[in-house]
Amino acid sequence: MSDAPPSPSEPSEAPFLALLARGAPAEEYERPVLRARADGAGPEALAALERDKLRALRVRSELEGRRRREAELSALFETAHDLAGLRDLDAVLHAIVQRARSLLGTAVAYLTLNDPKAGDTYMRVTDGSVSARFQQLRLGMGEGLGGLVAQTARPYVTDSYFDDPRFEHTRTIDSGVSDEGLVAILGVPLMLGSGVIGVLFAADRRARVFEREQIALLASFAAHAAVAIDTAHLLAETRSALTELEAANEIIRDRSAVIERASEVHDRLTELVLRGGGVHDVAAALAEVLSGSVEFLAAPALPAATAAAVERSRADGHAVPHQDAVPHRGANGGNGTNSGSDSPDPGSRRGKEAAAPDAWVAAVSAGGELLGALVLHGHPGLDPVDQRTLERAAMVTSLLLLARRAAGEAEQRVRGELLDDLLDAPDRDPRLLRERSARLRADLDAPHLVLAARMETTTARAADQQTADRQRLWSAASHLAATRHGLAAARDGGTVLLLPLSPATGRAEDGDAGAATTARRLAALLGAAVNGPVTVGASAPVPAPAARPGEVARAYEEARRCLDALRVLGRAGEGAAAEDFGFLGLLLADTRDVDGFVRRTLGAVVDYDTRRGTDLVRTLDAYFASGSSPARTKDELHVHVNTVAQRLERIGRLLGPDWQSPARALEIQLALRLHRLATPDPR
C-alpha cells in the first residue's frame, strides 16, 4: 500500500495503516503529512493527518511494547523451562545472562556472586566481555555499583559510571571497567529470602538510560538466576546427603559384617577353649576370620624388629600397627606358629619399609609377665572391631598358655614326687608305682638311665641368683623328661632324671645312644636351655625301676660320682658315664663292670685274634712286659723282629694311633692283666 496522501474519497488514516502493516520506522510516519502539505492540502486535511499520525504512532508503540513483552515472556518462559530441568548450573546461568543482554540490547551482561569464605564477590558469568582483567575481577563487599546494590538490596542504574558519586570507586574496579570500556551500568540484586547472594548486571559502552520496564525485566532474570543457584545448592546438598547416606549404609554393612566376624571369632575361641585347643588353633581361627596371616611369637624369641611394637602393645593394652619389614616365619618355623600363607619375598618387603604399616601386633601377657605376641600380617588398616578381635584372641592365648603352664607345672611336680619316692622309699609297693607311672605315660618296667645334672655357677653369685639358676635347670629338665616319658626332680642342688632306654637295643631313645652319649647330649641340651654350662653324669642302665626301686638310688649315686669326677677333672659343662673314665670308671661304677672295661679297652684286638687265629693279645702283653722294646719282645715270643713290627702296626690300627700314650698304655696294661686273670692260659 502506498504512503501517498489520501484522495478526497480516501480516509486520512489509510497511509498510516499501510505503514503499521509493514512495520515502518517512526520517522516514515511524517511523510504523508509532508506530501499533503506539498500538494496544497487545506488546513482541515492537514489537521486530520496530524491526528491520524499521532494515533498511528501510539498504535505502533503499543505494538512494539507488546512484541517486546512477548519476547521477554518467552525468554522468561525458556528460563523457567531451563530451571525445571536443571542439570548444569553453569549452562543455566550463561543462558540467563545471554538472554538479559539480548533483550535489553546491551553490549555486556554479567553476574557476580558473594564468596562468604573469602569475604568478597567474584565474577561468575560474563557475556559480551572482551577484557580478561574484567572477567577475573574480585570485589570487596560494598565496593562499586554492585556493592551499593548488595547493601540496599535494590536495583541501581548509572548512565555514566565514572561520573557517578553514589558508590565507592576503587582502583581495581575502575581499572576493570575501564578496560572493558563500560559507561552505562544497570545492576539488580539476586535475592534468596531477605539476603543478597549476588548481582546481575547489564552494561553498555555508551551513555544510555534504562527504562523501568528494562529494570523490571533484568530483575526477573535475577530472580530466576537466584532460584537456579538455590536449586543447584539444594540439589548439591541432596546429592551430598545421598552420598553420605550411601556411605553410612556401606559403613553399616561393613560394621555388620565385622560384628558377625567378631561373633564368629568369639564362638570359635570359646569352642577352642572348651575342647582344649592350643595356641596354633587360636592363630588358625583368627587368620581365617580376619583373612590374614597370623603367627604367635614366644617371648624369649621375639625378633628385635617386633620387640618395640610388642612393648607398645603391652603398655597400651591394645593392638598396635607395625611395619612388617622382616618376612615372618612359615608354619611352625622357629618359635612362631604361622596360620596363613607363606611370607612374601624379602625384596618386596624392603620396598614397603617406608609404606603404611602392614602388620598388627597384640602382646600376650598375664600379671605383668610377657608371654609372647600375636602378629597379624597383611593388614595396613584394621577395623576397630577387628582390632578388638585381635586383642581378644591375645587374651585367650594368654589364658591357654597359663593353663598349659599350670598343667605342666602340676605334671612336673607329680613326676618329681614319683622320682623322689623311687630314690627315698625303695620299699614302695611296685603295683602302686606302676599305677602312678602309667598316669604319667611312663613305663617303669622298661630299662632306664639315671642322670645327675648340675648347673655350674660361681660362688660370687647371690643366693637368690643361684636359686633361680637351679629353678631354671629343674624346669628345663622336667620339660625334657616329660617329652621322653621320663621323670625329673630337684635334688642335692641339681636335678636328677630317669629316662627310658630302647627295649630292643638297651640304648637311650635319644638317637639310640648309650649312657655316655646320652649324658653328653643332655649336657648340651640343658646348657642351651638355661644359657649356661651344665654338667651331667649318667649311671649304668637300671633294668626295671618299678620292680627294683632300690636300684634307682644306687644308680643315682653312681651318676653323682660321675658328675663329681667330671668337675674334679676340670670337665665341668660336659656329660659322661663311668665307661668314659677308663679304669677309673671301675671305681666310679656301682656294678664294677670288669668285663665291660676289658671289652671297651681290648675288645677290638681280642675279636681280631678270635676271627683270624692270630696272637696279637700275647704280643701286646709281651711288648709292655719287655719295656716297649721290639727287640726284647721278639726274644720273648721267639719270632723275627719284623714280625713283631707288623703285629704292633696291626694293633695300632685296631686300638687307634694314641694307644701308646701314657694314659692309654696304663689302661691297656690294666685290661691285659684283668683279661689274663679271667682267661686261662692255653699253654
Side-chain angles (χ1 to χ4, degrees), residues 324-328 342-353 358:
D324 188 15
V326 179
H328 61 277
D342 292 336
S343 173
D345 180 71
S348 64
R349 287 286 187 192
R350 289 194 295 271
K352 294 174 62 179
E353 288 182 6
D358 61 353

Side-chain angles (χ1 to χ4, degrees), residues 1 13-25 28-29 52-53 55-64 67:
M1 181 181 293
E13 66 272 13
F16 299 107
L17 291 175
L19 292 172
L20 288 171
R22 63 184 180 87
E28 291 191 18
Y29 284 77
D52 292 339
K53 182 189 74 173
R55 291 193 189 99
L57 288 173
R58 284 197 296 273
V59 170
R60 178 182 180 279
S61 178
E62 184 68 23
L63 290 174
E64 286 184 351
R67 282 195 297 270

Side-chain angles (χ1 to χ4, degrees), residues 396-683:
V396 171
T397 301
S398 66
L399 293 175
L400 290 175
L401 291 174
L402 289 177
R404 187 172 67 182
R405 175 191 291 180
E409 291 176 351
E411 182 177 335
Q412 289 173 2
R413 285 193 298 271
V414 174
R415 289 179 182 274
E417 291 169 359
L418 177 56
L419 183 52
D420 284 336
D421 286 346
L422 287 170
L423 293 170
D424 297 334
D427 55 348
R428 289 279 185 178
D429 185 353
R431 181 179 57 83
L432 295 178
L433 292 175
R434 291 186 180 94
E435 289 179 358
R436 291 170 61 185
S437 64
R439 287 195 291 269
L440 296 173
R441 299 180 300 280
D443 181 11
L444 293 185
D445 286 321
H448 280 67
L449 282 179
V450 177
L451 303 107
R454 184 176 299 169
M455 186 172 180
E456 301 300 328
T457 58
T458 61
T459 56
R461 289 176 68 85
D464 57 342
Q465 292 176 325
Q466 294 183 17
T467 301
D469 290 341
R470 289 193 291 269
Q471 178 64 29
R472 287 192 291 122
L473 176 60
W474 172 77
S475 178
S478 298
H479 175 72
L480 187 146
T483 59
R484 304 187 185 190
H485 306 293
L487 306 176
R491 201 172 187 86
D492 300 325
T495 300
V496 56
L497 298 93
L498 184 65
L499 299 180
L501 296 173
S502 171
T505 63
R507 295 187 173 190
E509 292 183 353
D510 184 8
D512 288 340
T517 304
T518 299
R520 286 191 289 272
R521 291 181 178 176
L522 195 64
L525 289 173
L526 293 178
V530 301
N531 195 25
V534 175
T535 307
V536 177
S539 73
V542 178
R548 303 168 62 186
E551 295 294 329
V552 177
R554 283 190 290 273
Y556 172 56
E557 292 302 323
E558 178 183 337
R560 282 192 61 195
R561 288 194 294 270
C562 291
L563 185 151
D564 292 338
L566 284 171
R567 301 178 73 190
V568 169
L569 295 173
R571 294 170 59 186
E574 298 182 19
E579 61 193 63
D580 291 319
F581 295 97
F583 72 91
L584 181 60
L586 295 177
L587 304 176
L588 298 175
D590 187 66
T591 58
R592 303 293 190 267
D593 185 11
V594 174
D595 289 340
F597 171 72
V598 173
R599 288 292 306 170
R600 288 192 298 273
T601 308
L602 290 177
V605 178
V606 173
D607 291 344
Y608 190 88
D609 279 351
T610 302
R611 292 193 310 269
R612 302 292 183 92
T614 55
D615 204 9
L616 296 182
V617 172
R618 185 163 167 262
T619 302
L620 188 60
D621 192 15
Y623 176 73
F624 282 119
S626 302
S628 301
S629 169
R632 288 197 294 271
T633 301
K634 63 98 174 173
D635 294 337
E636 175 70 21
L637 297 176
H638 304 289
V639 295
H640 195 275
V641 69
N642 290 339
T643 302
V644 173
Q646 292 171 0
R647 291 180 182 180
L648 293 178
E649 182 181 356
R650 173 65 62 183
I651 291 170
R653 286 200 293 269
L654 292 173
L655 297 182
D658 63 338
W659 69 277
Q660 296 192 68
S661 65
R664 285 292 306 279
L666 178 61
E667 289 188 358
I668 293 171
Q669 291 179 65
L670 179 58
L672 285 169
R673 287 174 179 267
L674 294 173
H675 178 68
R676 187 163 62 245
L677 292 174
T679 305
D681 191 344
R683 295 174 297 179

Side-chain angles (χ1 to χ4, degrees), residues 280 295-298 301 328-339:
H280 176 83
E295 65 176 337
F296 172 72
L297 302 177
H328 61 277
R329 287 164 287 202
N332 300 320
N335 292 301
T337 300
N338 177 280
S339 301

